[in-house]
Amino acid sequence: MAQPTPVRGLSADSQLGLAARRILVARLADIRKPEAKLSDAFDDEAVHDMRVATRRLRAAFQVFEPLGGWVARMEPEVKRLQDALGGVRDLHVQSAWLRTVAAKTRKETPGTRADITALGKTWLAGLADNETRLREELERWRSRTLPRLLRKVDALEDDHRFVGRRVKEPLDWRVRRVRKRMEVYADSPDAASAHALRKDLKKLRYELEIFQPALRRTLGALVKLFAPLQEGLGELHDADVRLEMFERLAARGKPRERKAARALLPLIREGRAKSSAEVARELQRWHAEAIPRRLRQVLA
């Protein structure tokens, strides 16, 4: 995953308006870097990086929401782009998985391999519609959303402290929410609780990254601990999406789809079990190292 553009020269006592201008400009730069690679074809890595960058920008909106109602009004515009990127990215992920599985299918089962390959081609047929939507959203972003954002960001002014109560209290709430999500998942480690934890963990990470320029010594090491758990939850989510999709195909798909789905379901369940075990190990580490408590101490 691409790292955010570094922002230097900020401290906890910097003016909130100055910090917001510099950080929002950096987040916009993070979006525009991969955007340049999407002019002709939708490169998978660029789509992924741009999607992550839009999430980081929305996290910045959340942090700087006290600076004006325009932030809340612009957030849905960025989400439109993020959703369009997700529609293409999700098909890329599942199709790549199918290609890998088809390539590994034993030569003794050439019929099954052909069914899996055919299923992958069927999925890719739906990619054209998603790419059309993404092109439309990219044009909307370039011609409408980005110019409006740049005008708003350039005019931001607020002389409150950057790392002050106005922004720290919502972040503390986010830490407590993630801790609660972890407890819910530990009691019931199903797809819904895993997905809820994953979403809130990402929001917390991207919001914490905003404060790294001012709290680098105390926050930097803690933010790095997010990556293994976030990646594990991402793999678990992909497995859950795959499992639901193939269980539906196995029950109600066309004959060839049912055959391919039934052949793949044991492999999908095995992969989900491995991802679930990895997430359980990371959650145990978070508990053992008291990471939520340490985060709250930094924000106190």
Side-chain angles (χ1 to χ4, degrees):
M1 181 172 65
Q3 295 302 305
T5 297
V7 178
R8 307 190 188 283
L10 294 177
S11 71
D13 293 324
S14 295
Q15 289 189 350
L16 182 59
L18 170 65
R21 290 197 303 273
R22 295 186 61 183
I23 290 169
L24 286 169
V25 166
R27 294 301 183 261
L28 289 170
D30 291 338
I31 293 177
R32 302 187 76 175
K33 288 176 185 176
E35 179 189 356
K37 300 178 182 179
L38 300 179
S39 300
D40 300 320
F42 290 132
D43 175 76
D44 185 34
E45 183 177 353
V47 169
H48 175 58
D49 288 347
M50 192 172 184
R51 186 186 187 188
V52 172
T54 58
R55 288 195 180 113
R56 285 193 167 110
L57 178 59
R58 291 178 64 209
F61 283 167
Q62 184 69 35
V63 169
F64 297 122
E65 191 274 336
L67 293 180
W70 70 269
V71 174
R73 292 193 297 271
M74 294 302 299
E75 193 272 344
E77 291 292 315
V78 179
K79 189 176 187 303
R80 288 175 59 118
L81 176 60
Q82 179 185 316
D83 289 345
L85 289 159
V88 172
R89 168 65 178 173
D90 291 345
L91 274 178
H92 283 173
V93 169
Q94 300 300 345
S95 297
W97 183 83
L98 272 178
R99 288 195 300 272
T100 300
V101 170
K104 292 181 179 179
T105 302
R106 293 180 301 174
K107 294 181 179 180
E108 295 91 315
T109 56
T112 301
R113 178 173 181 172
D115 292 336
I116 295 171
T117 301
L119 183 57
K121 291 180 180 178
T122 299
W123 281 4
L124 284 176
L127 185 60
D129 289 341
N130 289 11
E131 289 183 340
T132 296
R133 182 191 171 201
L134 178 53
R135 287 190 181 92
E136 292 170 353
E137 290 301 328
L138 283 169
E139 178 56 32
R140 181 186 178 97
W141 164 259
R142 293 168 184 139
S143 63
R144 175 178 172 177
T145 307
L146 179 59
R148 290 174 62 195
L149 272 172
L150 290 172
R151 288 195 296 270
K152 293 292 186 181
V153 169
D154 189 55
L156 281 178
E157 295 289 345
D158 192 300
D159 58 5
H160 288 84
R161 290 179 71 246
F162 172 32
V163 189
R165 183 176 177 182
R166 296 174 76 197
V167 293
K168 287 171 71 174
E169 285 186 348
L171 200 55
D172 180 72
W173 173 87
R174 182 77 71 191
V175 175
R176 288 184 280 114
R177 184 179 177 90
V178 165
R179 186 174 63 182
K180 181 62 178 176
R181 294 292 194 197
M182 289 178 173
E183 293 171 356
V184 171
Y185 178 78
D187 291 337
S188 179
D190 55 22
S193 61
H195 185 50
L197 171 57
R198 175 175 173 256
K199 289 195 298 182
D200 277 310
L201 186 75
K202 284 191 293 187
K203 290 175 182 178
L204 175 58
R205 177 185 179 179
Y206 297 151
E207 289 176 21
L208 287 171
E209 286 176 344
I210 291 167
F211 295 96
Q212 281 189 257
L215 302 173
R216 191 174 304 276
R217 291 183 180 179
T218 55
L219 198 57
L222 287 174
V223 172
K224 289 180 180 179
L225 298 175
F226 278 65
L229 179 56
Q230 185 176 333
E231 290 170 5
L233 286 165
E235 292 174 2
L236 183 59
H237 174 69
D238 290 341
D240 281 327
V241 170
R242 203 171 291 136
L243 183 59
E244 180 183 359
M245 189 182 309
F246 277 86
E247 284 179 339
R248 185 170 62 250
L249 286 173
R252 301 191 298 273
K254 297 176 182 178
R256 199 170 191 181
E257 292 173 340
R258 291 200 301 271
K259 182 181 177 183
R262 289 167 182 166
L264 290 173
L265 276 173
L267 181 63
I268 295 170
R269 292 185 179 118
E270 179 184 352
R272 189 199 186 280
K274 290 180 179 178
S275 295
S276 180
E278 179 60 30
V279 168
R281 284 192 291 271
E282 283 301 316
L283 287 175
Q284 180 58 37
R285 184 165 73 99
W286 272 61
H287 176 73
E289 298 182 16
I291 294 172
R293 178 176 60 79
R294 291 161 61 191
L295 284 169
R296 295 193 68 192
Q297 289 174 341
V298 170
L299 298 171

